[in-house]
Amino acid sequence: MENREFQVPEGIREKLNQINKQFTVFVEELVRDYENKVNDLQQRVEELEQENVELKYKLRQLGNELKNLSEKIASEFLKRAENALEEVEKFNQK
């Protein structure tokens, strides 16, 4: 018995090499597209994080403005209530 290695015919070998090259190109493009998408998403995350910081700052400012406004309203209400009470007391004294 002879020990012979199986030889792949040249035509099939060329087709397999073509398929391998095409598959390699496909995988490289797939990886490149994936990396681009990941980079795009990372950039978007950074933009959203910055926007989040800005919105938190604006929210804090609005909260402070609301607090100041409510204090002014309460102060004005008390002032008007005191004035009304004084008017009632003056009226009752007459």
Side-chain angles (χ1 to χ4, degrees):
M1 294 197 159
E2 294 180 25
N3 189 6
R4 292 174 155 190
E5 292 183 20
F6 176 72
Q7 295 288 326
V8 177
E10 189 61 31
I12 293 176
R13 185 186 320 240
E14 287 177 15
K15 290 284 186 186
L16 286 173
N17 284 335
Q18 264 184 337
I19 291 170
N20 187 38
K21 287 177 185 176
Q22 290 173 344
F23 184 74
T24 301
V25 167
F26 170 75
V27 170
E28 288 172 350
E29 289 177 356
L30 191 64
V31 168
R32 187 171 39 254
D33 289 346
Y34 174 78
E35 288 172 345
N36 289 338
K37 185 66 174 176
V38 167
N39 288 336
D40 291 345
L41 290 172
Q42 285 175 337
Q43 182 178 353
R44 184 66 180 136
V45 165
E46 290 171 6
E47 291 169 358
L48 289 171
E49 286 173 344
Q50 180 61 34
E51 186 178 336
N52 189 33
V53 168
E54 292 169 5
L55 289 173
K56 284 181 180 179
Y57 176 75
K58 287 179 183 178
L59 183 60
R60 202 173 310 122
Q61 282 183 319
L62 288 172
N64 289 337
E65 289 176 14
L66 181 60
K67 180 182 173 188
N68 292 339
L69 184 58
S70 64
E71 288 172 355
K72 287 179 184 178
I73 290 170
S75 174
E76 184 65 25
F77 177 80
L78 288 175
K79 192 184 306 177
R80 289 184 183 192
E82 288 171 353
N83 288 342
L85 184 58
E86 288 175 9
E87 291 295 321
V88 168
E89 287 174 353
K90 285 180 189 176
F91 180 78
N92 285 340
Q93 288 176 357
K94 290 183 181 180

